[in-house]
Amino acid sequence: KAGVTQTPRYLIKTRGQQVTLSCSPISGHRSVSWYQQTPGQGLQFLFEYFSETQRNKGNFPGRFSGRQFSNSRSEMNVSTLELGDSALYLCASSHPGTANTGELFFGEGSRLTVL
Amino acid sequence: SQQGEEDPQALSIQEGENATMNCSYKTSINNLQWYRQNSGRGLVHLILIRSNEREKHSGRLRVTLDTSKKSSSLLITASRAADTASYFCACNQAGTALIFGKGTTLSVSS
């Protein structure tokens, strides 16, 4: 079974631009969560989607948004990029039966650099 | 916040030694999990312990949970160089997202 796939793996943007990151969960998983990882703040929860509905949301500004499609694939978007948005963005999926309580399966992440 | 906090932040040991990492959290939890991350990669789930469990084993891993002290520990026995990684605890309450601590960086030298 294929794992969680995130694209692109690496990208470089400039301040003010916007970026869209994509995540394909493990087949059969309907829950997708997004995390931002930086050396200073560690892993911070962005949002979680289940069956196309945002179920939980972290404490990030409105520039950060996401969505989930009917095939459970998810995208997150960051608009008006700031230098501080440089980070590793991690997507994780979980099996329906373990949503909110069980194991998360992570992708390799998308490393965003903002210049 | 129910975020877990790991201790120590960094740990250096020799191969064959045991490594112990601790995690403290602030509120009641549904379960507590431990994850491992190799440098710059995604996280890998190691073990989950539920709030009504006190100890769990998986291979060379042993996890304990003390809900009265709001703490957990991860013990890796007979460490190997391949165990070099960052280790994170994560916890949540029912219906909420999994929140991670800042991790312990383990370095195992041969």
Side-chain angles (χ1 to χ4, degrees):
Chain A
K1 188 184 273 191
V4 177
T5 303
Q6 291 188 245
T7 57
R9 290 292 313 281
Y10 303 91
L11 66 166
I12 300 173
K13 294 284 187 179
T14 57
R15 279 179 299 176
Q17 287 187 311
Q18 66 93 25
V19 66
T20 298
L21 308 178
S22 179
C23 173
S24 293
I26 291 172
S27 177
H29 287 193
R30 288 161 55 192
S31 172
V32 173
S33 299
W34 288 90
Y35 290 84
Q36 180 197 66
Q37 186 176 31
T38 59
Q41 298 298 317
L43 276 155
Q44 292 191 287
F45 171 71
L46 281 157
F47 22 67
E48 179 198 2
Y49 289 88
F50 182 78
S51 294
E52 302 179 66
T53 301
Q54 188 179 84
R55 185 157 60 179
N56 287 295
K57 187 178 187 303
N59 191 26
F60 276 80
R63 301 185 297 108
F64 292 80
S65 62
R67 58 178 176 168
Q68 185 178 34
F69 303 95
S70 58
N71 61 359
S72 294
R73 190 176 70 85
S74 178
E75 289 182 348
M76 66 163 285
N77 183 277
V78 188
S79 62
T80 319
L81 284 166
E82 301 176 358
L83 295 178
D85 297 333
S86 294
L88 181 66
Y89 290 87
L90 291 162
C91 167
S93 70
S94 63
H95 188 277
T98 62
N100 285 143
T101 62
E103 175 181 358
L104 292 183
F105 294 82
F106 280 84
E108 295 290 354
S110 292
R111 182 164 297 281
L112 170 65
T113 301
V114 182
L115 303 176
Chain B
S1 168
Q2 62 198 49
Q3 182 185 42
E5 295 288 340
E6 292 90 344
D7 170 64
Q9 289 187 338
L11 181 60
S12 293
I13 59 174
Q14 299 285 322
E15 265 193 323
E17 295 180 337
N18 295 341
T20 299
M21 289 160 263
N22 302 296
C23 170
S24 59
Y25 56 92
K26 297 177 182 176
T27 64
S28 61
I29 59 170
N30 192 42
N31 66 58
L32 188 142
Q33 304 180 40
W34 286 89
Y35 287 79
R36 164 197 169 123
Q37 182 182 36
N38 286 76
S39 181
R41 308 290 297 276
L43 280 75
V44 175
H45 180 264
L46 293 176
I47 197 165
L48 178 154
I49 186 166
R50 301 196 184 281
S51 59
N52 61 354
E53 297 177 312
R54 292 297 168 258
E55 187 171 312
K56 208 162 182 181
H57 296 256
S58 177
R60 293 184 297 112
L61 306 180
R62 171 178 170 255
V63 168
T64 61
L65 179 65
D66 187 335
T67 53
S68 67
K69 295 181 179 178
K70 293 187 172 56
S71 68
S72 173
S73 68
L74 170 67
L75 168 67
I76 304 175
T77 60
S79 295
R80 307 165 181 168
D83 294 328
T84 295
S86 292
Y87 293 82
F88 297 86
C89 69
C91 50
N92 69 337
Q93 296 175 321
T96 68
L98 199 59
I99 303 299
F100 288 80
K102 293 197 174 182
T104 291
T105 300
L106 173 66
S107 176
V108 182
S109 55
S110 54

